[in-house]
Amino acid sequence: MGYRADMLTDIDLHSLIDEHFRTGNDVTLALRETSLASGIALENGRVVDINNRYGRVGKYDFANVSIWNSGIFERIPSGRKISFVPILGEWIGEGGKIGGVVHNEGIWFNIGSPAEYLRVHRTIAERRWKPHYVTMEDWPVSIAGDAMVDGTARFSGFCSIGPGCHIAADTVLEDTIVWAGGEVASRSCLRNCVVRTGKKAAGILADAVV
């Protein structure tokens, strides 16, 4: 089974797995009807076109979850960073069994950009959303237990402070994520920011990745 690293979802994968083995597909893709893309054409459970390669108009977006048989890897050149989409498109023309299962239920996030990453945290905070596979009772954790946060620091929105972080005095954080080991200098003001692991943010910042 394959997952893209820039997505988060709570869709139920059992139907995808069952369909893959029931039909003997080479590859089975999880699909969604979204406003992001619509390049995949599906007919009777079979993907018949990708990005209009064969003149079939698509209406589905790839949900970044799929099941692959090992034979697919023989078609991918080694030592090269390439998209698998053209490979699947070519394989369709050669009779490859590329299937698809539509998963419009559940929540699905593309988190390939800082704005999308922050939007996930906003949804978690506002909707109290928790994927079924997360077993932590206290999830999400707004401030890690070992984070050092000065008592004068102020937070608003969907802030998240990771393990080992240091938030200094008189800081203001709004809708900001600080990864493990990150620091925010005193008297700083951050809005819609991401402070990466081991980095230090200082000053007045907005819509920034430190």
Side-chain angles (χ1 to χ4, degrees):
M1 180 174 294
Y3 295 88
R4 289 273 293 276
D6 60 350
M7 55 83 66
L8 177 66
T9 185
D10 62 355
I11 64 175
D12 187 351
L13 301 179
H14 290 93
S15 60
L16 185 71
I17 297 171
D18 292 344
E19 178 70 5
H20 181 78
F21 290 104
R22 183 187 68 81
T23 59
N25 286 335
D26 298 310
V27 178
T28 305
L29 308 177
L31 307 175
R32 293 178 70 85
E33 294 177 277
T34 73
S35 59
L36 301 174
S38 57
I40 298 179
L42 184 71
E43 294 180 3
N44 299 318
R46 182 64 53 86
V47 174
V48 295
D49 204 345
I50 299 178
N51 294 336
N52 205 29
R53 185 186 184 104
Y54 303 106
R56 307 283 189 91
V57 178
K59 62 176 291 188
Y60 298 102
D61 184 17
F62 175 45
N64 295 338
V65 180
S66 54
I67 300 176
W68 302 64
N69 288 347
S70 59
I72 181 64
F73 300 109
E74 298 175 1
R75 308 179 72 91
I76 300 177
S78 61
R80 293 172 56 192
K81 183 180 179 180
I82 62 173
S83 170
F84 65 83
V85 173
I87 294 174
L88 290 184
E90 180 179 322
W91 202 358
I92 290 171
E94 297 174 6
K97 298 181 66 176
I98 315 300
V101 177
V102 179
H103 280 285
N104 283 327
E105 76 286 353
I107 295 179
W108 178 81
F109 299 98
N110 185 329
I111 51 177
S113 72
E116 292 167 331
Y117 176 73
L118 290 171
R119 187 160 54 247
V120 170
H121 287 81
R122 181 182 297 110
T123 298
I124 291 172
E126 293 179 353
R127 301 188 192 178
R128 307 305 301 171
W129 177 68
K130 180 179 179 180
H132 60 84
Y133 48 80
V134 175
T135 58
M136 295 172 53
E137 293 185 2
D138 58 348
W139 190 90
V141 178
S142 298
I143 300 178
D146 64 348
M148 298 176 61
V149 178
D150 190 272
T152 60
R154 291 178 289 162
F155 304 93
S156 63
F158 52 86
C159 293
S160 179
I161 311 302
C165 290
H166 183 197
I167 311 300
D170 298 317
T171 55
V172 177
L173 274 64
E174 176 185 351
D175 298 337
T176 290
I177 312 301
V178 185
W179 293 359
E183 297 184 48
V184 179
S186 61
R187 294 182 294 280
S188 295
C189 181
L190 277 62
R191 180 174 59 84
N192 292 334
C193 293
V194 177
V195 181
R196 295 174 294 167
T197 299
K199 301 297 183 179
K200 183 174 183 178
I204 300 174
L205 301 173
D207 303 310
V209 176
V210 179

